[in-house]
Amino acid sequence: MIDATFAYALDAKDELGYLRDRFVMHDSELIYLDGNSLGRLPRATERRLQDLITQEWGHRLIRSWGEGWFELQEKVGNKIAQIIGARPGEVIVADATSINLYKLALAAMLARPTRKHILSDDLNFPSDYYIFQGITRLLPGTKLRRLASPDGVHGVSLADFSVAMNEDSNLLSLSHTVFKSGFTYDMAAVTAVARENGVMTLWDLSHSVGSVPINLHDAKADLAVGCTYKYLNGGPGAPAFLYVRQSLQETLSNPISGWFGQHDMFALGPDYTPEPNIRRFLTGTPPLLSLAAIEMGVDTILEAGMPRLRAKSVAQTQFFIDLYHQILEPLGFTLNSPTDASQRGSHVSIGHPEGWRINQALINDKNVLPDFREPDNLRLGFAPLYTSYSDIYTAVMRLRAVLHDKLYEKYTVERTTVT
Amino acid sequence: MIDATFAYALDAKDELGYLRDRFVMHDSELIYLDGNSLGRLPRATERRLQDLITQEWGHRLIRSWGEGWFELQEKVGNKIAQIIGARPGEVIVADATSINLYKLALAAMLARPTRKHILSDDLNFPSDYYIFQGITRLLPGTKLRRLASPDGVHGVSLADFSVAMNEDSNLLSLSHTVFKSGFTYDMAAVTAVARENGVMTLWDLSHSVGSVPINLHDAKADLAVGCTYKYLNGGPGAPAFLYVRQSLQETLSNPISGWFGQHDMFALGPDYTPEPNIRRFLTGTPPLLSLAAIEMGVDTILEAGMPRLRAKSVAQTQFFIDLYHQILEPLGFTLNSPTDASQRGSHVSIGHPEGWRINQALINDKNVLPDFREPDNLRLGFAPLYTSYSDIYTAVMRLRAVLHDKLYEKYTVERTTVT
C-alpha cells in the first residue's frame, strides 16, 4: 500500500529534490501538474529578466544588440542541442513551433518535389496537421497521409510505417511524445525505417524535450522542432527551436526568407543570399524578452542531466500508475497512457465520463492544476525538476475527494475553451 | 541663429514634454537618437513586466491564459488600430514583421493567381525584398518588380506607378516611411492609383507607425504590417502587427495555418477550419512577455495623440535641418532626406565620406546614439514622445566637436556589422 509516508520517503531520497527550490513556489498548497503545458518560473529567470529589462533595454538600449542579443538564438540553441543529442550549430531558437514546422516541412517538400506525401499518424498535435494541410494546399498534388494508431493510445508500428512508405513519401513527421496519451516513439527505430525507404524525418519534440532522452544524431534524424515553454520552463509562448542536420543545412532553403537568415545581414543588400549554416532558417527579429527567458530553464535541465531526469520521470509516472490502480481505477477511471515505461513520456492521461467536471472541481475546489483534453482526459504532467512524490500522492488524494464528495456535480457539463 | 537658449525655449513650451518622464532615462548625458530602431523603455512597461513575470507566470501559471493572455493579441491589436486608422477587428499582433509580410503577400498572390507580379520600389527595407523573393521562388512564373526611385531619397511618382501597373500586377508593397531617407509616401494617393489598376496594396508601416499619421481605412488600403519596437516602444524584437481590411478577411487564407487561427481551437479537431475573422492570420503561441510589453508604449502614443505627435515630429526634424544648414553642411555633410516636411517621417539621414568613423566616435566618445546605414549615412531618429529640442541641439554640437577635433580618425574604416 502506498501512503503519505511512502511518498515522503521517496522525496527524502530524491537526488534531484534540491532543484525544486530553483523555481518560484508562490502557493505551497498548489499541486501543479501542468508543467507539460507551461513550465514553472525559474528564480534565475526572474532575476535575469529584471536585468534584461532595466539594464539591457532600459539603459544600454540599441547597444545591447551588439552585446549579446544577436548571438542569443544560437547560444540558447547550442544549449538545447546538448539536451537533444545534436551538434553545435545544428539547433537555433526562433519563432513558434508551428512556424518552424512550416519552414522545415515546406523546405523538405520543395527539395524533393517528386515525393508528394507527408506521412504522420493520428496522434499528432493538431496544429501540426493544420500546418501540413496548409502546405498541401500550397503545393498541387501533395497530400497528408495520417496512419491510424492501433488504439488511440499507442503509436503506429514499425511494420505499418514500412508498408505505408513508397516513392511518393517525402517526409515522416511525428510527435516524439504524443500530446494526449504520452506515448513515446522509439526515435532511432522509426527513423531507421524511414531512411530505408528514402523518407526524411521531422520530429516534433515539444512534449519530450527536457523529460525524455533524445539523441537526434545517433538516431540519424533529419529535422526537428520543439517547444521551450513546457519541460524547458522557458516562459509563456517562449520561442521554439528547430534542428537541421548539418549535412542538410546547405541543401534546404527556408521559404520564409527574411533578413535574420541573410548572409552579412547589415550590408542590407537587395537580394537574398542565405547564410550557409543554421542561421538561414531564421526570418525576422526575435522577441528578446521571451527568448532570453529560455536560457536559465535549459541550464537547470543541463545541471540535472537527462539520465537522472528520465529516471525520476519514469519513477514518478510509475508511482502515479500504482496509485491509479490502488485508488482511481475503483472510482471509474481508465488509464489512457502506455503501461510500458519505455513507451511513456512524463505525462499520464486518465479518462472518466465526468472528466470535464472533475477537472473543474480539481482546479477550483482542490487547488490542483492538471489539464483537460477531449473527450474525457485528465492529463497529469510530472515535471521531474520540481514535481515531488508528495505532490503526486496529494493530487490523487484530492482527486479521490472530488469523486467521494461529488464536488464535480456543481459544475456544468458545458465546455468553455480555455484551460 | 539657433543656440542652446533657443532649444531650451522650445522645450519649455513643448506640450508633450511631460511625457519624457514616462520613460526610463538612466543616463541623463546620453543623447538617444535611435528610437526608430529600438524605442525606449516605458516605466509602465517595467512595472507591468514585473507583475506579468512574478504574478501571472510565477503564481497563476497556466490559469493566466484564461485570465487575459488569450485576448492580448487582439486587445493590443485594437489599440494599434486606433493609431493607424483601422477598425476594431482589423489589426492583430503576431510574429515578426517579415513573417506577417510573408503571410499576407503570399495570401494575396494565391487569391489572384493570374496576377503574377509583386511591385515595390528600390527604397524598401531589404527584408521585405527577401520575403518577396522567397514567394517568387515558391510560385512559378511570379516575379518581384522594383521600380526605381528618382534619386535614392524620394519615392516613385504616382505617374510611374501607374505606368508600371498592368494585368499582371497583383500587389504593390511599399514602406510607408522608407528606412534610409525617411521619405514618406502619400498613402491615400498611391493606394488610389493601385486600386484604379486593380492592384492590392500591402503597406509596411514599421518606420511610420507612432510618428506619422496613418489612416488605412480612409486610404482604402488592403493590407499592412508593422513593427512595434520602434516608435511604439514595445521592446526588443516585440511581435509585429498585421492589418487585413475587414472585407478581405474571409477571402484571404493564411498559408501558415496553425492552431491559433483555428476556429474553436481547443476542440483540437483534426482538420484546419480557420476563424472567420482576423484571428485566422495567427499561427502559433505568441511570446507573451514580449507581447505584453507592447501595450503600455501604445497607450502612451494614444495619450499624446497622433496630431500632436506629428506636429512635434515635423518641428523637430525641421529644427534639425535648420541646424544642419547652419552647422553641419559647412563641415561636409549632405542631407539625404526630403526637405519637404510632408514627405518626411521622423528620422533624418545625413551623409559624410567619413560617416562610418564619425558614427563610431559619436557612440564611443560623445555618448550620442544614432545609427549608421550604408554607404555613409548617419540616421538620426527623433522620437517625439521623449526626444527634446535640447537633445537635438546637443547632438549637433557633439557632432561638430567630432569633426572639429577629428575624433573619428582613431577608428578603423573597416566595418563591423552590428549597430
Side-chain angles (χ1 to χ4, degrees):
Chain A
M1 280 292 286
I2 300 169
D3 59 12
T5 308
F6 184 70
Y8 291 140
L10 291 174
D11 285 330
K13 66 180 182 184
D14 173 12
E15 61 179 356
L16 296 180
Y18 76 100
L19 290 171
R20 185 175 170 101
D21 280 343
R22 300 290 177 82
F23 295 87
V24 170
M25 296 280 172
H26 186 280
D27 172 2
S28 61
E29 293 303 306
L30 171 69
I31 308 292
Y32 191 59
L33 300 179
D34 209 10
N36 52 322
S37 278
L38 175 63
R40 278 188 180 275
L41 169 62
R43 292 185 197 280
T45 304
E46 202 175 19
R47 292 190 295 270
R48 172 78 182 90
L49 286 171
Q50 179 66 46
D51 190 57
L52 174 71
I53 294 162
T54 303
Q55 290 300 315
E56 297 181 22
W57 175 12
H59 174 34
R60 297 298 296 166
L61 287 154
I62 194 71
R63 293 169 289 201
S64 290
W65 279 109
E67 295 166 355
W69 287 1
F70 264 111
E71 290 73 35
L72 205 51
Q73 291 174 282
E74 284 167 285
K75 182 185 178 196
V76 180
N78 282 332
K79 288 188 173 187
I80 294 172
Q82 297 174 47
I83 299 176
I84 61 179
R87 291 177 171 176
E90 289 188 327
V91 179
I92 199 158
V93 175
D95 303 318
T97 308
S98 291
I99 287 176
N100 291 333
L101 199 74
Y102 177 90
K103 289 179 186 176
L104 298 188
L106 181 52
M109 293 294 277
L110 292 171
R112 301 197 301 169
T114 62
R115 289 178 171 260
K116 291 183 176 295
H117 297 172
I118 300 173
L119 301 185
S120 189
D121 63 9
D122 61 359
L123 303 176
N124 208 343
F125 190 64
S127 193
D128 295 28
Y129 301 141
Y130 307 157
I131 289 294
F132 300 144
Q133 288 164 346
I135 290 172
T136 60
R137 280 191 300 274
L138 196 59
L139 302 177
T142 62
K143 72 174 178 184
L144 168 64
R145 291 180 58 201
R146 283 178 282 211
L147 308 185
S149 64
D151 56 4
V153 170
H154 298 79
V156 174
S157 70
L158 296 177
D160 284 353
F161 278 129
S162 190
V163 166
M165 290 176 181
N166 57 39
E167 68 280 4
D168 289 327
S169 310
N170 186 305
L171 187 66
L172 172 65
S173 187
L174 298 166
S175 287
H176 179 215
T177 295
V178 308
F179 81 105
K180 201 178 285 187
S181 73
F183 174 83
T184 299
Y185 277 105
D186 179 339
M187 181 184 287
V190 174
T191 301
V193 168
R195 289 175 64 86
E196 283 163 19
N197 288 278
V199 177
M200 292 178 71
T201 45
L202 169 48
W203 290 96
D204 185 338
L205 308 176
S206 294
H207 285 85
S208 59
V209 61
S211 70
V212 176
I214 298 166
N215 196 316
L216 291 167
H217 200 265
D218 284 359
K220 298 186 167 61
D222 296 307
L223 306 167
V225 298
C227 176
T228 64
Y229 53 77
K230 299 176 185 290
Y231 294 107
L232 298 187
N233 305 301
F241 62 87
L242 63 83
Y243 155 88
V244 178
R245 192 177 176 71
Q246 177 76 52
S247 61
L248 290 170
Q249 289 179 9
E250 290 203 59
T251 55
L252 294 183
S253 298
N254 179 0
I256 318 179
S257 44
W259 70 319
F260 266 65
Q262 169 80 353
H263 184 63
D264 198 4
M265 67 178 278
F266 282 98
L268 293 170
D271 297 308
Y272 182 67
T273 307
E275 288 274 29
N277 51 46
I278 192 74
R279 288 191 66 91
R280 69 167 51 192
F281 297 98
L282 301 181
T283 300
T285 313
L288 238 290
L289 307 186
S290 287
L291 166 61
I294 301 169
E295 188 172 2
M296 286 57 58
V298 173
D299 285 342
T300 314
I301 298 276
L302 289 170
E303 178 181 337
M306 284 311 303
R308 293 201 299 178
L309 279 169
R310 174 62 173 172
K312 181 172 174 184
S313 165
V314 167
Q316 291 197 317
T317 53
Q318 194 57 54
F319 178 72
F320 172 76
I321 289 172
D322 293 344
L323 278 167
Y324 158 82
H325 287 303
Q326 181 179 316
I327 292 165
L328 300 176
E329 197 169 19
L331 294 172
F333 284 95
T334 54
L335 182 66
N336 296 334
S337 290
T339 53
D340 177 351
S342 74
Q343 296 186 340
R344 270 201 314 266
S346 207
H347 68 270
V348 175
S349 281
I350 54 175
H352 191 284
E354 292 289 358
W356 170 255
R357 296 205 288 176
I358 292 169
N359 184 58
Q360 296 303 304
L362 274 177
I363 295 171
N364 295 306
D365 302 325
K366 290 293 178 181
N367 208 10
V368 176
L369 291 180
D371 71 20
F372 176 80
R373 285 292 178 257
E374 296 286 353
D376 65 355
N377 281 277
L378 296 179
R379 193 175 67 161
L380 310 171
F382 308 109
L385 280 177
Y386 52 75
T387 301
S388 68
Y389 293 90
S390 300
D391 282 345
I392 299 170
Y393 182 78
T394 306
V396 173
M397 293 301 107
R398 294 185 189 176
L399 187 48
R400 182 173 68 176
V402 166
L403 274 286
H404 185 268
D405 300 337
K406 298 195 190 309
L407 294 177
Y408 59 87
E409 288 189 346
K410 66 184 169 194
Y411 295 98
T412 169
V413 295
E414 205 173 299
R415 307 285 202 258
T416 53
T417 51
V418 177
T419 53
Chain B
M1 280 292 285
I2 300 169
D3 59 14
T5 309
F6 185 70
Y8 292 141
L10 291 174
D11 285 330
K13 66 180 181 185
D14 174 11
E15 61 180 354
L16 296 180
Y18 76 102
L19 290 170
R20 185 175 170 101
D21 280 343
R22 301 290 176 83
F23 295 87
V24 170
M25 296 279 173
H26 186 281
D27 172 2
S28 61
E29 293 302 306
L30 170 69
I31 308 292
Y32 191 59
L33 299 180
D34 209 10
N36 51 321
S37 278
L38 175 62
R40 279 189 179 274
L41 169 61
R43 292 184 197 280
T45 305
E46 202 175 20
R47 292 189 295 270
R48 172 78 183 89
L49 286 171
Q50 179 66 45
D51 191 58
L52 174 70
I53 294 162
T54 303
Q55 290 301 315
E56 297 181 21
W57 175 10
H59 173 34
R60 297 299 296 166
L61 287 154
I62 194 70
R63 292 169 289 201
S64 290
W65 279 108
E67 295 166 356
W69 287 0
F70 264 112
E71 290 73 35
L72 205 50
Q73 291 175 282
E74 284 166 285
K75 183 185 179 195
V76 181
N78 282 332
K79 288 188 172 186
I80 294 171
Q82 297 174 47
I83 299 176
I84 60 179
R87 291 178 171 176
E90 290 189 326
V91 178
I92 199 158
V93 175
D95 303 318
T97 308
S98 290
I99 288 176
N100 291 333
L101 198 74
Y102 177 90
K103 289 178 186 177
L104 298 189
L106 182 52
M109 293 294 278
L110 293 171
R112 301 197 302 169
T114 63
R115 289 179 171 259
K116 291 184 177 296
H117 298 172
I118 300 173
L119 301 186
S120 189
D121 63 9
D122 61 0
L123 302 176
N124 208 342
F125 191 64
S127 194
D128 295 29
Y129 300 141
Y130 307 157
I131 288 294
F132 301 144
Q133 288 165 347
I135 290 172
T136 60
R137 281 192 300 275
L138 197 59
L139 302 178
T142 61
K143 72 174 178 185
L144 168 64
R145 292 180 57 201
R146 284 178 282 210
L147 308 186
S149 64
D151 56 3
V153 170
H154 297 80
V156 174
S157 70
L158 296 177
D160 285 352
F161 278 130
S162 190
V163 167
M165 290 176 181
N166 57 39
E167 67 281 3
D168 289 328
S169 311
N170 186 306
L171 187 67
L172 172 65
S173 188
L174 299 166
S175 287
H176 180 216
T177 295
V178 309
F179 80 105
K180 201 177 284 186
S181 74
F183 174 83
T184 300
Y185 277 105
D186 180 338
M187 181 184 286
V190 173
T191 301
V193 169
R195 289 175 64 86
E196 283 162 20
N197 289 279
V199 177
M200 292 177 72
T201 45
L202 168 47
W203 290 96
D204 185 339
L205 308 176
S206 294
H207 285 85
S208 58
V209 61
S211 70
V212 176
I214 298 165
N215 197 316
L216 292 167
H217 200 264
D218 284 358
K220 298 187 166 61
D222 296 307
L223 307 167
V225 299
C227 175
T228 64
Y229 53 75
K230 299 176 186 289
Y231 294 107
L232 298 187
N233 305 302
F241 62 87
L242 61 84
Y243 154 89
V244 179
R245 191 176 176 72
Q246 177 76 52
S247 60
L248 290 170
Q249 290 179 8
E250 290 202 58
T251 55
L252 294 182
S253 299
N254 179 0
I256 318 179
S257 43
W259 71 319
F260 266 65
Q262 169 80 352
H263 184 64
D264 198 4
M265 66 179 276
F266 281 99
L268 293 170
D271 297 309
Y272 181 67
T273 307
E275 288 274 28
N277 51 47
I278 193 74
R279 289 191 65 92
R280 67 167 52 191
F281 297 98
L282 301 181
T283 300
T285 312
L288 238 291
L289 307 187
S290 287
L291 167 61
I294 301 168
E295 188 172 1
M296 286 58 58
V298 173
D299 285 342
T300 313
I301 297 276
L302 289 170
E303 178 181 337
M306 285 310 303
R308 292 202 297 177
L309 280 169
R310 174 61 173 173
K312 181 172 174 185
S313 165
V314 167
Q316 292 197 318
T317 53
Q318 194 57 54
F319 178 72
F320 172 77
I321 289 171
D322 292 345
L323 278 167
Y324 158 83
H325 288 302
Q326 180 180 317
I327 292 165
L328 301 177
E329 197 170 19
L331 295 172
F333 284 95
T334 55
L335 182 65
N336 297 334
S337 290
T339 53
D340 176 351
S342 74
Q343 297 187 338
R344 272 202 313 266
S346 206
H347 67 270
V348 175
S349 282
I350 54 175
H352 192 284
E354 292 289 359
W356 171 255
R357 297 204 289 176
I358 291 168
N359 184 59
Q360 296 303 303
L362 274 178
I363 295 170
N364 295 307
D365 302 325
K366 290 292 178 182
N367 209 11
V368 176
L369 292 180
D371 72 19
F372 176 79
R373 285 292 177 258
E374 296 286 353
D376 65 355
N377 282 278
L378 296 179
R379 193 176 66 161
L380 309 172
F382 309 108
L385 280 177
Y386 52 74
T387 302
S388 68
Y389 293 90
S390 300
D391 282 346
I392 299 170
Y393 182 78
T394 306
V396 172
M397 292 302 107
R398 294 186 189 176
L399 187 49
R400 182 174 66 176
V402 166
L403 275 285
H404 185 268
D405 300 337
K406 298 196 190 312
L407 294 176
Y408 60 87
E409 288 189 345
K410 65 184 169 193
Y411 295 98
T412 169
V413 295
E414 206 173 299
R415 306 287 202 256
T416 52
T417 51
V418 177
T419 55

